[in-house]
Amino acid sequence: MITSEQRERLRGWFAGRLPDDLFEELVEVTVDREEITVIGRITGPRPAEDASPAEREAAVEGRIQEFRERTRDARISVARDAEHRFGRKVSWGVECDGRRALFTHVAAPVMTRLRQPERQVLDTLIAGGVARSRSEALAWCVRLVQRHTDDWLTELRESLEHVQRVRGRGPGTGPQEEEGEEPTADGG
């Protein structure tokens, strides 16, 4: 679990390290044990006034693809520095005219043991055509929980950060206490 201060330092490092002309704005930097995801806003295309929705969507897709190709070398350079410094892979994404697109990101395997009722939930999702495998079904479940419990998860993360701060102030985490301050076993 990363603290708010660590997250702010990480975001600050990227804000300082990214080339000034890469994004209009650094929108989001998220991190977990395996990956740092950097998302920036890019300028949208300017289709004709009478452009159809399909044409507008295609223009946004084209702009995102153009950005991805044009900035590849710069993003690789930043990612190498960050991966060396933070020990995590770096993934990239953009927001363009309200659409978010991730380029490459880590799909980390997660091992779990499920009892039969839990496996039946996954198998039902497969049978219903929602997922092709148990792995895909489990990922679908996680996304569903995430979408419906964002406030609760945010509160839980904040609570965990508080626990980490309190632990950091506990005995044995700071400078060693001077000898003779603690009573000995015989009370002296």
Side-chain angles (χ1 to χ4, degrees), residues 122-139:
L122 301 180
D123 293 342
T124 300
L125 292 172
I126 294 167
V130 173
R132 293 184 306 244
S133 66
R134 284 181 172 175
S135 175
E136 194 175 286
L138 185 57

Side-chain angles (χ1 to χ4, degrees), residues 72-86:
R72 179 172 276 122
D73 290 341
R75 290 183 294 107
I76 287 172
S77 177
V78 172
R80 282 188 183 134
D81 289 351
E83 288 169 5
H84 177 73
R85 181 181 181 108
F86 302 111

Side-chain angles (χ1 to χ4, degrees), residues 69-132:
E69 296 301 323
R70 177 176 45 84
T71 63
R72 179 172 276 122
D73 290 341
R75 290 183 294 107
I76 287 172
S77 177
V78 172
R80 282 188 183 134
D81 289 351
E83 288 169 5
H84 177 73
R85 181 181 181 108
F86 302 111
R88 293 170 171 91
K89 290 291 184 189
V90 176
S91 299
W92 298 93
V94 295
E95 283 187 1
C96 182
D97 276 0
R99 179 169 173 223
R100 183 174 280 202
L102 293 176
F103 300 152
T104 306
H105 49 281
V106 175
V110 179
M111 296 299 295
T112 185
R113 295 184 185 274
L114 300 176
R115 300 197 189 299
Q116 187 179 38
E118 295 151 342
R119 292 190 311 267
Q120 288 174 333
V121 169
L122 301 180
D123 293 342
T124 300
L125 292 172
I126 294 167
V130 173
R132 293 184 306 244

Side-chain angles (χ1 to χ4, degrees), residues 8-34:
E8 289 167 5
R9 287 183 180 277
L10 183 72
R11 182 180 173 87
W13 185 88
F14 275 97
R17 176 61 180 83
L18 292 173
D20 288 338
D21 61 346
L22 188 66
F23 298 125
E24 279 186 346
E25 175 187 5
L26 180 60
V27 175
E28 184 178 297
V29 177
T30 57
V31 62
D32 66 11
R33 286 186 273 184
E34 293 84 21

Side-chain angles (χ1 to χ4, degrees), residues 36-47:
I36 300 168
T37 303
V38 180
I39 298 176
R41 184 167 294 113
I42 62 173
T43 305
R46 293 185 187 96

